[in-house]
Each structure stands twice: as C-alpha cells, then as structure tokens.
Amino acid sequence: MLKNLLASVAIAGVMAAGAAQAATEIVVQYPYGELFNETHKQIAAEFAKKNPDVKVTFRTAYDSYEEGTQKILREAVTNQLPDVTFQGLNRVRILVDRDIAVPMDDFIKAEKDFEKEGFHQAMFDIGTQNGKVYALPFAISLPITYWNLDLVKQAGGDPANLPTTWDGVIALAKKIDALGPDINGITYVWDITGNWLWQAPVFAQGGTMLNADESKVAFDGPEGQFAMKTLARFVTEANMPNLSQADARATFAAGKTGVHITSTSDLAKTTGMIGGKFELKTHVFPDVKPGSGRLPAGGNVAMIVSTDKAKQKAAWEFIKFATGPLGASIMAKTTGYMPPNKVANDVYLKDFYVQNPNNYTAVKQLPILTKWYAFPGENGLKITDVIKDHMNSIVTRSRSGEPEKVLQDMTRDVQKLLPKKAS
C-alpha cells in the first residue's frame, strides 16, 4: 500500500513538473503605452484562452519608436532582450542589419491555410528585408486630416466639400484663424517619429528620399521643394503655432483648431478627448499626385528577437494571434490604426467601419500605401534627427521665410551622413 502511494505521489510530481515545463513564458515590449496598453491587455487575455501553455509578460512600454530601437540595440549587447518587440515600420532594417531580428520564413511555411486567416503577400512585404520576412505588421496608420466642422462652418467653409489640396487647406485655415485670438487655423504634427510627415508630402508628390542606389539625396528636387514651402506656408500664411504633438492634439480636442494633420493612429484618443464638444470629420491627406503619389505607412510591426528556440516558437504563436483576425480587430477598435489583416478588415470590422466612418478615411487610402523609409547605414537614426532639426527651424519661425535655403542646408547635412559607396 505504502509502495503504491509513494509511486502515485512520484507520478503526480512528474506530471506536475511536466505541466510546469509546458508553460513557456515570453516577454513582450511595445511602444506608446497611452495608445496600446488597453489593446495589448485585451489581446493577451484572448490569446491566453487559446494558448494556456504560453504565458505573456509585458515590459513597460517604450516611450517612442526611437527609444524602442535604441533599447533593443543596447539589450542585444547585454543579453537582456525581450522575446517579442514591436518596432516602428521603419526600424526593421536596422535590427536586420545588426543580426538581432529572427526570420519568420520557416514558421510561415509551416502554417496551413494561412491566407484564409487574412495573411497575404502585402503583409509579408512590409516586414521583408534581404528576401526574408523579419516582421509582421501589427498596426498600420496613414496621414489624414482632422477637421472641426463647427469652425469650418463659422469660417464659411463647406463641410461636405473639404479641401483636397494644400492651397485649399491653407486658404480655409486662414479664415478659421481669423475667427478669434484663441483660435488656430491649422496644426501639422511635423515632428512625428521618423520624419514621417516630412516623407508624406514628398512621397505624395511622387518623390523619394534618396536615389535608386541610396548614394545621393533625392528630396531636394521639386517634390521636396513643394513639401518644405508648404510647411513654411503653414507658419507664414496660416499662422500655425509651435506646439508639441500632445499640445496640438489637446488644443484641437478642446475645439480651438480648425484642421489638425496627423496620423490616423490618434483617432480613438482624439475622439475620446473631444467627447462630443464639436463635430469631427476626418478627410484625406492633401495633394496626392494621381498615378505617382504615395503615402508612407506608419505604425508598428511585431518581431521575434529571442535566441531561445522554444521561446521563438511561443513568440511566433503570439505574433500570429496578435496580427491575425481577432487580434487585429481588437487593435483597430481600441486605437485609430488599421489592421493589415484582410479578414479582420473585410469580416470582423465591416460593421465597425459603417458605424465609424472617420476610421474608414485611412482605409480608403490603402491603395497608395508605400513603405516608411529608413535611411541606410550607421547614421540612419542620426539623419532623422538632422531632418527634424531643420524642420524645427521653419516651425519656430527662425527660418520660416527661407524654406528653399533650409532645404539646401538639410540636403547638404544629410548627404554627409550617407554611407560612402564603393567606386
């Protein structure tokens, strides 16, 4: 009897140990807690229901995409990497170049009927580098315009026919600005991470950041000249104030700004802050050149950076769920981002877009989506800071009267930081 009892205890102990070993813990870190905390909380809860053998632990959110990348680069040296990191779309390149990101191709090949789950080639293309898939897009954003229709009406504008050119936007913004000393005509969130709203007006005109072999600056042509002059016109003609991203959002939400140009990712937060104080309408990004014009996809991707094989497998299951139909639909409903997953958009969110037309504005722009450009070489991150500094000189009014000269100086400074091509 005692022998049997001891045997039973031993077997139970082995089974308990086996169960404990079966639960794989993965550490996940993502950016912008104010936008994504609730999103990841809900996704993790749903994931746990279907994957009880994987425990998801979150680290404190990165403050920004830049901080997230810099942190990963440091942690790779000190062996303190998380297992899954969510990075800006334009940060895939640097993590691949540093051999930190883990390719997902074998995981993708092992999946059956993956396309039926809404995963398609365009999703893979966003995270592809050097012919391999290193990231799956999680949250996609595009630049749009946010309009206070109450102020539009007061200024004599037509809410049913909002402008689609910068000339029209600036003209209406000037009228709104004239409504009172506490009213702003326009705010443009030029300092969004990664020069995103510098790239947008350049790409919209059909331009590029660099030439084909990435040896020379290309944004100094007509497209870049148009973009820099437009930024200056916001200041010199429409009297745009110099506000931080958070202050510009808060000022618009308080009903004090006519048109606010930023990412669709801000929609849920901004709508909540407005709280019905005025009628909000989102509209397309102006002056996208038919045929050649594109808009850079913002947002973030999920990447595996674990060096442990078991954790890599668990990390893949989490990423697959987060970017799949249910995870993607949770993301869309809790933020203003769009899911790149086809089933999420076509099935899970069909009624959502009918009930929330402001969220559909960016979806309509998906056919002109292009990659958010990442500058090459060791100075890639430094180049984004250089561009930001030159744009800052326009917005602070110190050089708002000489946009062409600012562009020349910016071109010179960026060219110096590009990798030297072998002759």
Side-chain angles (χ1 to χ4, degrees), residues 148 150-156 172-185 255-258:
N148 179 328
D150 293 8
L151 292 179
V152 168
K153 292 172 187 173
Q154 289 178 43
L172 184 49
K174 286 170 66 176
K175 292 179 181 177
I176 293 171
D177 186 66
L179 292 174
D182 63 335
I183 301 297
N184 302 308
K256 300 298 184 180
T257 304

mmCIF file of all heavy atoms in Angstrom, residues 148 150-156 172-185 255-258:
data_model
loop_
_atom_site.group_PDB
_atom_site.id
_atom_site.type_symbol
_atom_site.label_atom_id
_atom_site.label_comp_id
_atom_site.label_asym_id
_atom_site.label_seq_id
_atom_site.Cartn_x
_atom_site.Cartn_y
_atom_site.Cartn_z
ATOM 1 N N ASN A 148 -12.514 70.266 -37.546
ATOM 2 C CA ASN A 148 -13.551 70.730 -36.633
ATOM 3 C C ASN A 148 -14.624 71.380 -37.497
ATOM 4 O O ASN A 148 -14.467 72.517 -37.962
ATOM 5 C CB ASN A 148 -12.957 71.745 -35.639
ATOM 6 C CG ASN A 148 -13.988 72.296 -34.670
ATOM 7 O OD1 ASN A 148 -15.169 72.446 -34.998
ATOM 8 N ND2 ASN A 148 -13.552 72.655 -33.475
ATOM 9 N N ASP A 150 -17.515 72.543 -36.814
ATOM 10 C CA ASP A 150 -18.131 73.751 -36.252
ATOM 11 C C ASP A 150 -17.349 74.991 -36.683
ATOM 12 O O ASP A 150 -17.926 76.005 -37.100
ATOM 13 C CB ASP A 150 -18.182 73.668 -34.726
ATOM 14 C CG ASP A 150 -19.133 72.587 -34.227
ATOM 15 O OD1 ASP A 150 -19.641 71.803 -35.053
ATOM 16 O OD2 ASP A 150 -19.355 72.521 -33.001
ATOM 17 N N LEU A 151 -16.018 74.911 -36.592
ATOM 18 C CA LEU A 151 -15.186 76.044 -37.011
ATOM 19 C C LEU A 151 -15.201 76.215 -38.525
ATOM 20 O O LEU A 151 -15.147 77.345 -39.027
ATOM 21 C CB LEU A 151 -13.751 75.854 -36.510
ATOM 22 C CG LEU A 151 -13.548 75.930 -34.992
ATOM 23 C CD1 LEU A 151 -12.077 75.706 -34.639
ATOM 24 C CD2 LEU A 151 -14.021 77.271 -34.441
ATOM 25 N N VAL A 152 -15.262 75.119 -39.250
ATOM 26 C CA VAL A 152 -15.346 75.184 -40.714
ATOM 27 C C VAL A 152 -16.588 75.980 -41.126
ATOM 28 O O VAL A 152 -16.525 76.876 -41.981
ATOM 29 C CB VAL A 152 -15.385 73.765 -41.329
ATOM 30 C CG1 VAL A 152 -15.774 73.831 -42.810
ATOM 31 C CG2 VAL A 152 -14.030 73.072 -41.175
ATOM 32 N N LYS A 153 -17.715 75.675 -40.492
ATOM 33 C CA LYS A 153 -18.962 76.380 -40.804
ATOM 34 C C LYS A 153 -18.875 77.862 -40.435
ATOM 35 O O LYS A 153 -19.302 78.732 -41.200
ATOM 36 C CB LYS A 153 -20.130 75.724 -40.066
ATOM 37 C CG LYS A 153 -20.479 74.328 -40.552
ATOM 38 C CD LYS A 153 -21.513 73.680 -39.626
ATOM 39 C CE LYS A 153 -21.752 72.222 -39.973
ATOM 40 N NZ LYS A 153 -22.628 71.543 -38.988
ATOM 41 N N GLN A 154 -18.308 78.151 -39.257
ATOM 42 C CA GLN A 154 -18.187 79.539 -38.819
ATOM 43 C C GLN A 154 -17.325 80.360 -39.773
ATOM 44 O O GLN A 154 -17.538 81.564 -39.953
ATOM 45 C CB GLN A 154 -17.586 79.600 -37.416
ATOM 46 C CG GLN A 154 -18.494 79.130 -36.300
ATOM 47 C CD GLN A 154 -17.788 79.177 -34.950
ATOM 48 O OE1 GLN A 154 -17.081 80.136 -34.630
ATOM 49 N NE2 GLN A 154 -17.974 78.127 -34.149
ATOM 50 N N ALA A 155 -16.355 79.697 -40.405
ATOM 51 C CA ALA A 155 -15.451 80.390 -41.326
ATOM 52 C C ALA A 155 -15.990 80.421 -42.752
ATOM 53 O O ALA A 155 -15.321 80.920 -43.663
ATOM 54 C CB ALA A 155 -14.082 79.725 -41.302
ATOM 55 N N GLY A 156 -17.201 79.891 -42.957
ATOM 56 C CA GLY A 156 -17.811 79.903 -44.288
ATOM 57 C C GLY A 156 -17.411 78.747 -45.179
ATOM 58 O O GLY A 156 -17.672 78.769 -46.388
ATOM 59 N N LEU A 172 -8.601 77.944 -46.193
ATOM 60 C CA LEU A 172 -9.644 77.774 -45.181
ATOM 61 C C LEU A 172 -9.063 77.956 -43.776
ATOM 62 O O LEU A 172 -9.711 78.538 -42.890
ATOM 63 C CB LEU A 172 -10.295 76.395 -45.320
ATOM 64 C CG LEU A 172 -11.476 76.078 -44.391
ATOM 65 C CD1 LEU A 172 -12.518 77.183 -44.384
ATOM 66 C CD2 LEU A 172 -12.113 74.747 -44.797
ATOM 67 N N ALA A 173 -7.848 77.488 -43.566
ATOM 68 C CA ALA A 173 -7.204 77.645 -42.256
ATOM 69 C C ALA A 173 -7.022 79.123 -41.910
ATOM 70 O O ALA A 173 -7.181 79.526 -40.749
ATOM 71 C CB ALA A 173 -5.857 76.925 -42.236
ATOM 72 N N LYS A 174 -6.686 79.938 -42.902
ATOM 73 C CA LYS A 174 -6.540 81.379 -42.671
ATOM 74 C C LYS A 174 -7.847 81.997 -42.204
ATOM 75 O O LYS A 174 -7.870 82.827 -41.280
ATOM 76 C CB LYS A 174 -6.073 82.065 -43.961
ATOM 77 C CG LYS A 174 -4.617 81.820 -44.313
ATOM 78 C CD LYS A 174 -4.267 82.300 -45.711
ATOM 79 C CE LYS A 174 -4.367 83.801 -45.866
ATOM 80 N NZ LYS A 174 -3.922 84.214 -47.222
ATOM 81 N N LYS A 175 -8.956 81.576 -42.799
ATOM 82 C CA LYS A 175 -10.267 82.103 -42.406
ATOM 83 C C LYS A 175 -10.629 81.660 -40.984
ATOM 84 O O LYS A 175 -11.202 82.431 -40.215
ATOM 85 C CB LYS A 175 -11.335 81.618 -43.391
ATOM 86 C CG LYS A 175 -11.198 82.206 -44.786
ATOM 87 C CD LYS A 175 -12.279 81.653 -45.722
ATOM 88 C CE LYS A 175 -12.126 82.230 -47.123
ATOM 89 N NZ LYS A 175 -13.136 81.650 -48.057
ATOM 90 N N ILE A 176 -10.285 80.409 -40.661
ATOM 91 C CA ILE A 176 -10.569 79.907 -39.311
ATOM 92 C C ILE A 176 -9.705 80.640 -38.288
ATOM 93 O O ILE A 176 -10.182 81.030 -37.211
ATOM 94 C CB ILE A 176 -10.339 78.380 -39.242
ATOM 95 C CG1 ILE A 176 -11.376 77.648 -40.110
ATOM 96 C CG2 ILE A 176 -10.413 77.883 -37.799
ATOM 97 C CD1 ILE A 176 -11.120 76.167 -40.277
ATOM 98 N N ASP A 177 -8.440 80.865 -38.631
ATOM 99 C CA ASP A 177 -7.527 81.560 -37.723
ATOM 100 C C ASP A 177 -8.030 82.968 -37.403
ATOM 101 O O ASP A 177 -7.803 83.485 -36.300
ATOM 102 C CB ASP A 177 -6.135 81.627 -38.355
ATOM 103 C CG ASP A 177 -5.092 82.210 -37.418
ATOM 104 O OD1 ASP A 177 -4.800 81.568 -36.395
ATOM 105 O OD2 ASP A 177 -4.579 83.313 -37.698
ATOM 106 N N ALA A 178 -8.731 83.579 -38.353
ATOM 107 C CA ALA A 178 -9.236 84.946 -38.175
ATOM 108 C C ALA A 178 -10.482 85.008 -37.287
ATOM 109 O O ALA A 178 -10.950 86.107 -36.960
ATOM 110 C CB ALA A 178 -9.550 85.560 -39.541
ATOM 111 N N LEU A 179 -11.009 83.868 -36.874
ATOM 112 C CA LEU A 179 -12.225 83.852 -36.049
ATOM 113 C C LEU A 179 -11.992 84.408 -34.645
ATOM 114 O O LEU A 179 -12.941 84.855 -33.982
ATOM 115 C CB LEU A 179 -12.783 82.427 -35.951
ATOM 116 C CG LEU A 179 -13.367 81.824 -37.236
ATOM 117 C CD1 LEU A 179 -13.735 80.363 -37.012
ATOM 118 C CD2 LEU A 179 -14.581 82.616 -37.710
ATOM 119 N N GLY A 180 -10.766 84.379 -34.169
ATOM 120 C CA GLY A 180 -10.504 84.894 -32.823
ATOM 121 C C GLY A 180 -9.086 84.646 -32.392
ATOM 122 O O GLY A 180 -8.404 83.760 -32.935
ATOM 123 N N PRO A 181 -8.594 85.389 -31.393
ATOM 124 C CA PRO A 181 -7.209 85.253 -30.945
ATOM 125 C C PRO A 181 -6.894 83.916 -30.291
ATOM 126 O O PRO A 181 -5.728 83.524 -30.213
ATOM 127 C CB PRO A 181 -7.056 86.407 -29.929
ATOM 128 C CG PRO A 181 -8.450 86.695 -29.474
ATOM 129 C CD PRO A 181 -9.330 86.431 -30.651
ATOM 130 N N ASP A 182 -7.913 83.203 -29.831
ATOM 131 C CA ASP A 182 -7.680 81.907 -29.189
ATOM 132 C C ASP A 182 -7.940 80.737 -30.131
ATOM 133 O O ASP A 182 -7.973 79.580 -29.713
ATOM 134 C CB ASP A 182 -8.555 81.763 -27.940
ATOM 135 C CG ASP A 182 -10.046 81.779 -28.268
ATOM 136 O OD1 ASP A 182 -10.427 82.350 -29.318
ATOM 137 O OD2 ASP A 182 -10.831 81.226 -27.469
ATOM 138 N N ILE A 183 -8.130 81.044 -31.416
ATOM 139 C CA ILE A 183 -8.412 80.005 -32.415
ATOM 140 C C ILE A 183 -7.221 79.843 -33.346
ATOM 141 O O ILE A 183 -6.666 80.829 -33.842
ATOM 142 C CB ILE A 183 -9.670 80.354 -33.246
ATOM 143 C CG1 ILE A 183 -10.897 80.499 -32.345
ATOM 144 C CG2 ILE A 183 -9.919 79.297 -34.319
ATOM 145 C CD1 ILE A 183 -11.305 79.238 -31.611
ATOM 146 N N ASN A 184 -6.819 78.597 -33.596
ATOM 147 C CA ASN A 184 -5.759 78.283 -34.560
ATOM 148 C C ASN A 184 -6.382 77.764 -35.848
ATOM 149 O O ASN A 184 -7.312 76.954 -35.798
ATOM 150 C CB ASN A 184 -4.825 77.205 -34.007
ATOM 151 C CG ASN A 184 -4.184 77.612 -32.702
ATOM 152 O OD1 ASN A 184 -3.604 78.687 -32.606
ATOM 153 N ND2 ASN A 184 -4.301 76.769 -31.691
ATOM 154 N N GLY A 185 -5.838 78.179 -36.968
ATOM 155 C CA GLY A 185 -6.338 77.665 -38.231
ATOM 156 C C GLY A 185 -5.879 76.237 -38.482
ATOM 157 O O GLY A 185 -6.654 75.383 -38.909
ATOM 158 N N GLY A 255 -11.394 72.176 -29.166
ATOM 159 C CA GLY A 255 -12.221 72.963 -30.084
ATOM 160 C C GLY A 255 -11.583 74.258 -30.516
ATOM 161 O O GLY A 255 -12.271 75.165 -31.000
ATOM 162 N N LYS A 256 -10.237 74.351 -30.396
ATOM 163 C CA LYS A 256 -9.552 75.610 -30.670
ATOM 164 C C LYS A 256 -8.759 75.603 -31.976
ATOM 165 O O LYS A 256 -8.077 76.583 -32.282
ATOM 166 C CB LYS A 256 -8.598 75.942 -29.509
ATOM 167 C CG LYS A 256 -9.284 76.102 -28.153
ATOM 168 C CD LYS A 256 -10.271 77.264 -28.159
ATOM 169 C CE LYS A 256 -10.885 77.480 -26.780
ATOM 170 N NZ LYS A 256 -11.846 78.612 -26.801
ATOM 171 N N THR A 257 -8.827 74.509 -32.748
ATOM 172 C CA THR A 257 -8.093 74.411 -34.012
ATOM 173 C C THR A 257 -9.020 73.916 -35.116
ATOM 174 O O THR A 257 -9.817 73.002 -34.888
ATOM 175 C CB THR A 257 -6.888 73.452 -33.883
ATOM 176 O OG1 THR A 257 -6.047 73.884 -32.810
ATOM 177 C CG2 THR A 257 -6.076 73.423 -35.172
ATOM 178 N N GLY A 258 -8.883 74.508 -36.280
ATOM 179 C CA GLY A 258 -9.765 74.141 -37.391
ATOM 180 C C GLY A 258 -9.405 72.831 -38.057
ATOM 181 O O GLY A 258 -10.247 71.950 -38.220
#
